[in-house]
Amino acid sequence: MALDVVIMAAGKGTRMKSSRPKVLHALAGRALLQHVLAAVAGLAARRTVVVTGHGAEQVEAAVQAPGLSFVRQSPQLGTGHAVQQAVPQLGDDGSTLILNGDVPLLEPATAEALVQACGGQRLALLTLQVPDATGYGRIVRGGVSGSEVLGIVEHKDATLEQRLIREINAGVMAAPTALLKRWLSLLKNDNAQGEYYLTDIVALAVADGVPVVAVQPGSEIEVLGVNSPAQLADLERRYQRRQAERLMEAGVRLADPARFDLRGTLECGMDVEIDVNCVFEGRVALGDGVRIGANCVVKNAVISAGAVIHPFTHIDGEQLGVKVGEGALIGPFARLRPGADLGAEVHIGNFVEVKNSTLAKGAKANHLAYLGDATVGERVNYGAGSITANYDGANKHRTVIEADVHVGSNCVLVAPVTLGAGATIGGGSTIAKDAPAGQLTVARAKQVSLSGWQRPKKAR
Ligand code: UD1
Ligand code: CA
């Protein structure tokens, strides 16, 4: 049966007190609306319509995807009014699934269950008993059995007695499209907020004798909406907690699941240990036995088996990615940037930055150094304070450091330049020409000592 999806994302999100449209606020590094789109991606809907309004251009630019269309709602007169704007896009046959753009953690299976419960004939609602229902629409039950759904009353319109109801409307519904269109055309705005409430279609369905079914989600987290910074932070923590639990179930040892953040995907081998306050972003893979010290940020990187990332290391592969070889030791306070490709047993120490460079097995840069656009051979020792001058102000050039080279401290390697295998570069050298293999190359003023020299004295 044909299915259309409508996502309401036009609201201002007043309680966020932000210039950013609410549905673009990030949960685990992804916009709320992106989460909702991901939840319905597998439903094979005929079309997915996002209702935009507040910050429409921003929202539309942020979630462009094939098969997605937008309708604008201006002014924003309520959730019922929002869905009314999408009506011309909806076929009369089949069902429509309606979601709130600010309820991000719905599971695909729950969305599917709602569509099944609707079956093109019934109105299906997602509801749940929650400990604190403040702010949510309440499910009013009664009728002959006492448990039939009769309608939804919004928090602001609810009587004191109705506010005691703990069963809430999660803001997700599936309805037969032809009936939905009819109910939408009948909505009125004579309520506390002067809005056209989508939730009023429930009483209209009951009046039409159309069965209303309530579907429950697998967990509470699926129905939590984001209306304020506090709710966003709460949902973020719950989501992170769930991700942490899944990783721990798979054997990952997290020092503290409450101090763990994953904003993307993390693949882990066996015996991975992650200390407190680490943030993983994008796509990260950690091989067997990898240890990540406290306070590391790791984005778009592959860390091979046995590597140790010491505290306060920042790894950001951006588009190119970062690769850390087996048994490598990185940090503390190291910075690996896009295109850093480190071989096995490489050592990168404190305040060393590596960008777009390959380091072969066993190469070391232990202190205060910069390697950019460099190819570094096996067992190279790159001294403290040495840098590649890879940028001439217009173009970038490569530095090639062949195997077993020893670069002394505080050297400047002016690219393009090649240091031949086994070369030694004296400390403090500025190397602008290739250094031959196996020789000592020094490029600095010769040391002189003046025997008769007197230190100046203060004039009296
Ligand atoms: C809504 C429901 C409430 C439910 C709660 C679940 C209504 C009237 N109330 O309340 O029963 O418990 O969600 O989270 O539906 N929006 C528009 N256009 C508008 C108004 C809102 O697109 O004119 C969008 C918002 O961007 C948001 C969603 O609809 O994504 C919900 O709007 P919001 O104002 O947050 O509704 P709630 O008060 O949370
Ligand atoms: Ca809301």
Side-chain angles (χ1 to χ4, degrees):
M1 195 206 321
L3 174 70
D4 295 322
V5 171
V6 176
I7 302 173
M8 299 178 287
K12 181 154 190 290
T14 314
R15 288 164 279 176
M16 289 301 290
K17 300 193 167 84
S18 167
S19 59
R20 191 188 307 173
K22 176 166 71 176
V23 294
L24 294 188
H25 280 271
L27 179 89
R30 264 206 304 180
L32 298 177
L33 184 54
Q34 296 280 16
H35 285 273
V36 179
L37 288 167
V40 297
L43 291 178
R46 178 166 56 185
R47 53 177 87 72
T48 299
V49 185
V50 179
V51 184
T52 61
H54 184 77
E57 273 149 34
Q58 250 175 298
V59 175
E60 290 165 16
V63 297
Q64 285 294 347
L68 201 62
S69 61
F70 298 95
V71 292
R72 296 231 176 141
Q73 182 200 17
S74 176
Q76 291 96 43
L77 303 178
T79 50
H81 181 251
V83 182
Q84 279 169 358
Q85 310 313 303
V87 159
Q89 310 267 327
L90 308 175
D92 278 324
D93 55 326
S95 319
T96 299
L97 175 68
I98 305 166
L99 304 103
N100 274 5
D102 66 351
V103 179
L105 296 182
L106 187 76
E107 289 285 340
T110 306
E112 177 72 47
L114 267 163
V115 173
Q116 293 300 327
C118 163
Q121 315 183 26
R122 294 165 292 269
L123 175 59
L125 311 175
L126 187 65
T127 78
L128 186 68
Q129 299 270 353
V130 296
D132 180 8
T134 311
Y136 288 96
R138 309 296 209 283
I139 307 298
V140 179
R141 291 182 183 258
V144 188
S145 70
S147 63
E148 286 162 39
V149 175
L150 300 181
I152 299 175
V153 58
E154 288 304 298
H155 181 89
K156 285 183 181 153
D157 299 282
T159 61
L160 286 176
E161 198 182 336
Q162 286 169 328
R163 286 190 182 177
L164 298 175
I165 300 172
R166 292 197 297 120
E167 187 183 7
I168 61 140
N169 166 37
V172 191
M173 300 182 183
T177 306
L179 288 169
L180 173 69
K181 289 184 177 183
R182 172 184 142 71
W183 297 328
L184 288 171
S185 71
L186 298 174
L187 292 179
K188 297 198 179 65
N189 66 349
D190 51 353
N191 51 52
Q193 304 185 77
E195 288 183 0
Y196 296 91
Y197 291 164
L198 176 63
T199 44
D200 286 348
I201 69 170
V202 177
L204 293 167
V206 172
D208 278 353
V210 174
V212 178
V213 284
V215 172
Q216 272 73 46
S219 98
E220 186 190 11
I221 195 173
E222 292 186 55
V223 307
L224 296 175
V226 173
N227 301 296
S228 65
Q231 282 177 335
L232 179 59
D234 174 53
L235 203 52
E236 176 81 30
R237 280 335 316 155
R238 291 180 193 232
Y239 185 68
Q240 293 299 349
R241 180 81 200 193
R242 197 174 65 173
Q243 296 195 116
E245 274 160 11
R246 283 181 186 166
L247 284 166
M248 291 188 295
E249 275 159 26
V252 178
R253 295 197 289 277
L254 299 179
D256 183 358
R259 284 179 290 170
F260 167 80
D261 286 86
L262 171 55
R263 304 171 189 159
T265 58
L266 179 62
E267 243 177 77
C268 291
M270 268 183 59
D271 286 309
V272 165
E273 291 184 15
I274 299 173
D275 209 334
V276 299
N277 293 332
C278 292
V279 179
F280 296 89
E281 296 178 65
R283 297 176 74 85
V284 176
L286 307 178
D288 292 347
V290 164
R291 285 190 285 139
I292 310 282
N295 302 300
C296 289
V297 176
V298 184
K299 181 174 182 180
N300 294 340
V302 175
I303 315 290
S304 308
V308 179
I309 313 294
H310 289 293
F312 296 98
T313 291
H314 186 242
I315 298 177
D316 184 358
E318 290 177 24
Q319 314 303 325
L320 280 175
V322 162
K323 229 189 121 237
V324 174
E326 291 188 10
L329 305 178
I330 312 296
F333 298 102
R335 180 169 186 215
L336 303 183
R337 296 178 53 205
D341 185 348
L342 314 184
E345 287 152 47
V346 161
H347 291 188
I348 298 294
N350 44 200
F351 306 106
V352 174
E353 172 183 351
V354 182
K355 192 214 75 182
N356 197 32
S357 295
T358 6
L359 276 72
K361 186 175 178 190
K364 294 184 173 67
N366 275 325
H367 329 266
L368 303 160
Y370 175 58
L371 278 161
D373 302 305
T375 305
V376 180
E378 294 190 0
R379 298 171 300 277
V380 162
N381 195 320
Y382 193 75
S386 289
I387 63 162
T388 53
N390 55 326
Y391 183 54
D392 61 15
N395 297 298
K396 299 231 167 115
H397 303 282
R398 271 203 100 71
T399 301
V400 177
I401 306 175
E402 293 179 355
D404 299 299
V405 165
H406 183 104
V407 178
S409 296
N410 208 31
C411 291
V412 180
L413 308 179
V414 184
V417 71
T418 297
L419 313 182
T424 300
I425 309 299
S429 294
T430 294
I431 302 293
K433 286 184 290 194
D434 291 355
Q439 298 183 19
L440 168 67
T441 299
V442 187
R444 59 173 188 240
K446 261 213 156 68
Q447 183 165 325
V448 289
S449 301
L450 304 181
S451 56
W453 183 79
Q454 295 262 313
R455 194 185 287 174
K457 291 201 172 75
K458 218 174 192 158
R460 279 165 200 260

